Amino acid sequence: MAALSEENLQTSAAVEASRRALDEPFERADLKGQLLRTCAACNRGFGASAMDRSNVDSILARLSELNPCAEPTAGVTGCPSGVEWVGRGFENRDDYASGFTIGAQGPLDGVWRLIYTNASDVLSLDVNPIAGVGPISQEITLPDSVVNVIDLYPRAASLLPLGALRTTTRLRVATRASARSATRIGLTFERVGIEARALLGLDLSKLLPALSIALPRLPGSNTAGAGSDTSP
C-alpha cells in the first residue's frame, strides 16, 4: 500500500507538472496582453502613476518566471555560459521575399520597440516643453552593439492633422553591451548622433549630414566610454 501510494503521488505530481506546462503559454499570452494595455494607458511610462508602475512590475515579475528562454543574454559579450544559442526556430532560413538570410545570433538580436520604461534619463526627455517624444527603439547587433533610437517632434505638431507638415529629429545613442549575468546586460555609452529627418514635410534624411558627438569617459568607467554602472 505504501508503495502504491508513493506511485500515485508521483503520478499526480507528473500530471500537475504537465498541466502547468500546457497552461503556461496561455498565461504568458494573457500577461503580455495586460502589459501592453497598461503600458499604452500610461504612455510607455511617461505618464505612469505609482499604481501603474506597481502593476507593470508585478506583471514583469511573473513573466520572468514564465520565460521559456533560460539565458536571454546568450550571444552577448561576456555571457557566462558561452553556450551556442539554438535559435528561435526561423534562423538561417531563406527569406524568399527579400532574398536575404535571417541569421539572429541570440535572443536579443534584432530591432526592439520600447513599450515601457522607468529609466529617469529616458523619462526626463518628456519634460521638454518644446519637443515631444515619438517612437523609441533599440537596434541590437550581437555580440555587443546596442543603439538607442529616439525620435523627437515639436509639440505644436500635435495640433495639425496626422502626418501633415511632419517635422522630426532623431537621436541615435550608440552603446557597447556586456553581459552581467544570464539575464542582465550592462551598457557603456559611447556616442550620440543627431539626425534631421524631416522639416515641415520635407525629407531631410539625405540632405543634411548627421552630427555625431563622442561621450566623455567618466572616472571609474572603462576605456570605451561612460559606463552604465557609473553614469547618471
Side-chain angles (χ1 to χ4, degrees):
M1 292 295 294
L4 181 60
S5 298
E6 182 178 349
E7 182 179 346
N8 288 340
L9 288 174
Q10 292 176 348
T11 301
S12 299
V15 170
E16 179 63 20
S18 298
R19 185 189 64 79
R20 286 198 302 269
L22 292 173
D23 288 344
E24 283 182 0
F26 299 101
E27 184 180 359
R28 278 199 304 271
D30 181 62
L31 288 169
K32 288 178 181 179
Q34 294 180 39
L35 181 64
L36 290 173
R37 290 190 293 271
T38 303
C39 294
C42 67
N43 187 21
R44 300 172 293 177
F46 292 110
S49 64
M51 181 175 293
D52 291 328
R53 289 190 289 270
S54 177
N55 288 340
V56 170
D57 288 346
S58 63
I59 294 173
L60 290 177
R62 180 55 181 157
L63 279 172
S64 295
E65 296 173 356
L66 297 173
N67 187 1
C69 181
E71 192 174 48
T73 61
V76 179
T77 297
C79 183
S81 75
V83 176
E84 184 178 355
W85 186 55
V86 295
R88 303 185 185 98
F90 56 76
E91 285 74 20
N92 298 321
R93 295 192 315 185
D94 290 336
D95 183 346
Y96 296 105
S98 63
F100 291 103
T101 299
I102 302 172
Q105 302 300 310
L108 296 179
D109 211 21
V111 179
W112 301 82
R113 183 158 181 171
L114 179 98
I115 64 168
Y116 177 82
T117 182
N118 59 3
S120 58
D121 57 339
V122 179
L123 295 176
S124 63
L125 295 172
D126 202 47
V127 177
N128 191 321
I130 299 175
V133 183
I136 300 176
S137 60
Q138 280 190 325
E139 299 173 355
I140 301 179
T141 306
L142 298 182
D144 62 359
S145 175
V146 178
V147 179
N148 299 320
V149 182
I150 305 167
D151 284 349
L152 303 175
Y153 66 91
R155 290 191 182 276
S158 61
L159 302 176
L160 300 174
L162 184 64
L165 302 179
R166 185 172 65 91
T167 299
T168 308
T169 299
R170 175 167 293 177
L171 304 179
R172 296 179 64 87
V173 184
T175 73
R176 195 68 56 189
S178 61
R180 295 178 181 171
S181 69
T183 58
R184 296 182 66 83
I185 65 172
L187 299 178
T188 296
F189 293 85
E190 296 185 328
R191 305 186 69 85
V192 175
I194 305 174
E195 305 173 6
R197 304 291 295 175
L199 176 63
L200 300 178
L202 176 64
D203 185 359
L204 300 179
S205 59
K206 297 180 180 179
L207 296 179
L208 297 177
L211 175 65
S212 182
I213 304 171
L215 295 175
R217 183 168 62 89
L218 298 181
S221 64
N222 62 31
T223 56
S228 57
D229 289 327
T230 55
S231 299

